[in-house]
């Protein structure tokens, strides 16, 4: 069956450290994968998109990798700050699909 | 310009009543999505509209759920005979659509929190 999983429900890290979040998928062949941030009581906000032919994408303190062999994407936040605390969601759309599938999210807490 | 807006922001209703939720997408966005998010859980796809194509209704959980969209503008999600398990946040998102398919970023509204008593 098809599924998309994120490594943990919650992740606590110390301010200044690098946070690494994992997204794994099964039985999809995505053309690209997206990462979103969701704060409590609000809708998700798009952060980054990485295509199947890209190994890595960066935006300021964010870095995303995409390994289509492992069927995995890693999302890194370097020099993390308490303001980075939120739930992070990965999402993909199959090459042949119409709708998006979201992972369950990882709730990140950056402790001062 | 304005982002995606949804109304009402909160809706409390009694079991068995019908509710209608509204989404105003970003102007010019041809694609529109509805999702449901139960407390502490991920997003559950409900329905997808793309331009004038037939909507993808594959995520609607039952025939009590329906949605309409007028052209490329407002969409309404209707839940008939609401049940307590319908309690959730209903999120709407729009995106530029098929013309830029590979870069199909979704812009989400703030959601409507539905509580069925």
């Amino acid at each position: 069956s098809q599924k998309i999983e994120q490594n943990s429900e919650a992740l606590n890290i110390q301010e200044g450290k690098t946070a690494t979040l994992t997204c794994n998928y099964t039985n999809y062949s995505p053309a690209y994968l997206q990462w979103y941030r969701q704060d409590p009581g609000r809708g998700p906000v798009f952060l980054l998109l990485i295509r199947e032919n890209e190994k890595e994408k960066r935006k300021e303190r964010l870095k995303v990798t995409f390994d289509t062999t492992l069927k995995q994407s890693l999302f890194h936040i370097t020099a993390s700050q308490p303001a980075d605390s939120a739930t992070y969601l990965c999402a993909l759309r199959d090459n042949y699909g119409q709708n998006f599938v979201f992972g369950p999210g990882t709730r990140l807490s950056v402790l001062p | 310009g304005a982002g995606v807006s949804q109304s009402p922001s909160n809706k409390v209703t009694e079991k068995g009543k019908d509710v209608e939720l509204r989404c105003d997408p970003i102007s010019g966005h041809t694609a529109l999505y509805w999702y449901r998010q139960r407390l502490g859980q991920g997003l559950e796809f409900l329905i997808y509209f793309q331009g004038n194509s037939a909507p993808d209704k594959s995520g609607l959980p039952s025939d009590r759920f329906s949605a309409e969209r007028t052209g490329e503008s407002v969409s309404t999600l209707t839940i008939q005979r609401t049940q307590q398990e319908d309690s959730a946040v209903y999120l709407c998102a729009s995106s530029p659509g098929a013309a830029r398919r590979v870069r199909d970023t979704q812009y989400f509204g703030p959601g409507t929190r539905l509580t069925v008593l």
Side-chain angles (χ1 to χ4, degrees):
Chain A
S1 63
Q2 294 177 314
K3 48 181 182 177
I4 179 168
E5 298 174 307
Q6 295 188 237
N7 59 319
S8 58
E9 190 176 315
L11 180 65
N12 296 328
I13 65 165
Q14 211 62 38
E15 182 176 7
K17 301 292 186 183
T18 295
T20 298
L21 285 66
T22 304
C23 177
N24 293 289
Y25 57 92
T26 307
N27 292 328
Y28 285 105
S29 299
Y32 57 86
L33 193 144
Q34 299 177 330
W35 283 89
Y36 289 79
R37 167 181 174 144
Q38 186 174 25
D39 291 284
R42 309 190 68 168
V45 174
F46 171 77
L47 295 175
L48 281 169
L49 177 151
I50 186 164
R51 300 179 194 177
E52 59 181 337
N53 61 349
E54 297 177 317
K55 295 295 185 186
E56 182 179 295
K57 184 74 77 70
R58 291 177 184 262
K59 179 183 177 182
E60 298 173 353
R61 295 184 295 111
L62 308 180
K63 184 178 86 171
V64 173
T65 62
F66 192 11
D67 188 324
T68 55
T69 301
L70 293 178
K71 297 187 182 298
Q72 179 182 80
S73 175
L74 299 180
F75 177 82
H76 306 273
I77 306 175
T78 59
S80 59
Q81 304 167 359
D84 295 326
S85 298
T87 296
Y88 291 85
L89 306 164
C90 62
L92 57 80
R93 185 161 71 179
D94 193 279
N95 285 356
Y96 309 103
Q98 295 285 355
N99 61 71
F100 280 88
V101 179
F102 281 79
T106 295
R107 189 173 64 252
L108 174 68
S109 297
V110 180
L111 308 173
Chain B
V4 177
S5 61
Q6 293 186 246
S7 61
S9 56
N10 281 284
K11 177 71 177 178
V12 180
T13 189
E14 293 179 347
K15 178 181 172 181
K17 300 283 189 184
D18 297 351
V19 296
E20 190 173 277
L21 312 180
R22 177 186 168 111
C23 172
D24 284 86
I26 293 173
S27 178
H29 280 191
T30 62
L32 187 147
Y33 303 80
W34 282 99
Y35 296 90
R36 177 169 70 180
Q37 188 172 34
R38 291 196 167 109
L39 186 64
Q41 298 190 25
L43 275 68
E44 177 186 357
F45 166 78
L46 297 177
I47 189 169
Y48 162 64
F49 295 90
Q50 172 58 58
N52 293 320
S53 302
D56 177 353
K57 304 179 181 180
S58 61
L60 295 178
S62 77
D63 59 8
R64 296 187 296 105
F65 288 71
S66 63
E68 293 184 351
R69 187 181 187 195
T70 307
E72 295 182 354
S73 61
V74 172
S75 176
T76 55
L77 176 69
T78 301
I79 309 173
Q80 296 178 310
R81 306 180 302 282
T82 52
Q83 304 293 314
Q84 288 182 330
E85 68 255 27
D86 298 334
S87 296
V89 174
Y90 289 82
L91 290 161
C92 172
S94 70
S95 69
R100 297 172 58 193
R101 189 168 180 272
V102 177
R103 291 184 175 276
D104 222 355
T105 299
Q106 294 181 75
Y107 298 82
F108 282 84
T112 294
R113 181 176 299 279
L114 175 66
T115 303
V116 182
L117 301 177

